[in-house]
Amino acid sequence: NEIAHRAGLDKSSVLLRDPSWGDDPHEPDLAARYRAIADQFIERKVDGVFVMPQFILPGQCVSTTSAIVDEFHASGMAVVLIDNDVTQYPKRSRFDLVGIDNFGAGYILAEHFIKQNCQKIDFLGFDAPHPNQQARIAGYVRAMEVHGLKFDPAGIHYGDLHSSDFVIEILRRRKPQAVLVISDFRAASVLRFALNAGIKVPEDLRIGSFDDLPMAGHLSVPLTTIRQPAADIGTVAYQLMLQRIAHP
């Protein structure tokens, strides 16, 4: 919305082509769908493309989006990535990227719970190890080390956070004092599963996450969450696009 607003002020046009928002990143035809959109943009000779890359699947080093981003670049288009990179953390691609400091976010959230006297803190993430998630995990691990807490690799869990069986098995087996969850949307499920299982929040378990979605403050127990300033990200991305078009 912010990118479209900024473009409108400049009498520019934003073409919205997002074939996969919310879809399964394992979908076999996803690359072909992206390719069709890329061909349209290249044929229309657009000046620049904003890309929110697809997740990097387990066992892969680059996103499904990587090939078309390279093709945009080869066609002379400016490319600005939003929120995520197309290559695995800690590597960085050559493209401009606008988003929050995910390492710092993981560090700050973990440190917050450490200061609440939590010593056993686990991390719940997607099964797809996308760059933002790995950066947040790295920040969480660093906070544990800085504060003299022993980091246990078994405290990082990848899987379906909308599965009560998966989540409850972890909480009952590990008995963490706090969990960092990859997003508010998933944290809402974790909260519900914990309460349904008789785990009191925050007395028995503290839950923190990332995004600060509007729903975060309206749950039965409001979430502790790291805000992503979406409008500011959009503003900076648009300004950066103009700079990159002017100075390739």
Side-chain angles (χ1 to χ4, degrees), residues 32-53:
R33 292 168 64 189
Y34 269 110
R35 173 66 56 194
I37 298 301
D39 290 344
Q40 290 179 24
F41 281 171
I42 292 170
E43 182 180 352
R44 296 186 68 164
K45 295 181 171 59
V46 302
D47 293 308
V49 183
F50 299 98
V51 180
M52 294 187 70

Side-chain angles (χ1 to χ4, degrees), residues 109-124 140 144 149 155-157 170-171 174-181 190 199-209 224:
L109 194 56
E111 185 177 63
H112 169 77
F113 288 126
I114 292 169
K115 290 181 177 179
Q116 303 298 317
N117 298 317
C118 296
Q119 296 190 356
K120 189 172 185 180
I121 304 172
D122 283 10
F123 194 105
L124 303 179
Y140 142 74
M144 299 282 282
L149 299 178
I156 299 177
H157 313 276
I170 290 171
L171 297 181
R174 291 280 302 171
K175 295 182 172 57
Q177 296 170 291
V179 290
L180 276 57
V181 186
V190 172
I199 300 172
K200 296 180 180 178
V201 180
E203 294 85 353
D204 301 329
L205 175 70
R206 295 175 187 267
I207 300 175
S209 59
T224 296

Side-chain angles (χ1 to χ4, degrees), residues 51 53 56 61-63 65-66 69 81 84-88 93 95 131:
V51 180
I56 298 173
C61 297
V62 295
S63 166
T65 326
S66 179
V69 169
L81 306 179
N84 235 338
D85 206 341
V86 293
T87 190
Q88 191 55 276
S93 70
F95 301 104

Side-chain angles (χ1 to χ4, degrees), residues 8-219:
L9 295 177
D10 286 343
K11 295 182 170 57
S12 298
S13 298
V14 174
L15 307 175
L16 180 61
R17 294 287 185 278
D18 196 352
S20 59
W21 183 257
D23 285 0
D24 181 2
H26 299 270
E27 179 191 339
D29 295 333
L30 192 60
R33 292 168 64 189
Y34 269 110
R35 173 66 56 194
I37 298 301
D39 290 344
Q40 290 179 24
F41 281 171
I42 292 170
E43 182 180 352
R44 296 186 68 164
K45 295 181 171 59
V46 302
D47 293 308
V49 183
F50 299 98
V51 180
M52 294 187 70
Q54 267 289 341
F55 290 168
I56 298 173
L57 300 180
Q60 296 183 355
C61 297
V62 295
S63 166
T64 306
T65 326
S66 179
I68 67 163
V69 169
D70 286 335
E71 191 167 328
F72 289 147
H73 180 75
S75 299
M77 298 178 187
V79 175
V80 174
L81 306 179
I82 297 178
D83 186 53
N84 235 338
D85 206 341
V86 293
T87 190
Q88 191 55 276
Y89 180 85
K91 293 182 179 180
R92 271 283 285 120
S93 70
R94 60 185 169 182
F95 301 104
D96 297 310
L97 168 62
V98 183
I100 68 169
D101 172 8
N102 286 287
F103 179 94
Y107 186 102
I108 289 169
L109 194 56
E111 185 177 63
H112 169 77
F113 288 126
I114 292 169
K115 290 181 177 179
Q116 303 298 317
N117 298 317
C118 296
Q119 296 190 356
K120 189 172 185 180
I121 304 172
D122 283 10
F123 194 105
L124 303 179
F126 302 123
D127 58 356
H130 62 91
N132 284 359
Q133 175 167 281
Q134 300 313 106
R136 292 169 184 174
I137 289 173
Y140 142 74
V141 171
R142 182 60 181 153
M144 299 282 282
E145 294 171 345
V146 166
H147 288 275
L149 299 178
K150 184 179 179 181
F151 165 65
D152 181 1
I156 299 177
H157 313 276
Y158 302 103
D160 181 4
L161 301 183
H162 291 316
S163 166
S164 61
D165 291 342
F166 175 75
V167 172
I168 294 304
E169 189 278 329
I170 290 171
L171 297 181
R172 285 178 171 165
R173 172 172 52 84
R174 291 280 302 171
K175 295 182 172 57
Q177 296 170 291
V179 290
L180 276 57
V181 186
I182 189 59
S183 70
D184 288 353
F185 190 45
R186 269 72 181 182
S189 293
V190 172
L191 172 63
R192 178 164 55 88
F193 298 150
L195 294 176
N196 288 344
I199 300 172
K200 296 180 180 178
V201 180
E203 294 85 353
D204 301 329
L205 175 70
R206 295 175 187 267
I207 300 175
S209 59
F210 306 84
D211 289 339
D212 194 21
L213 298 178
M215 48 78 72
H218 298 284
L219 299 172

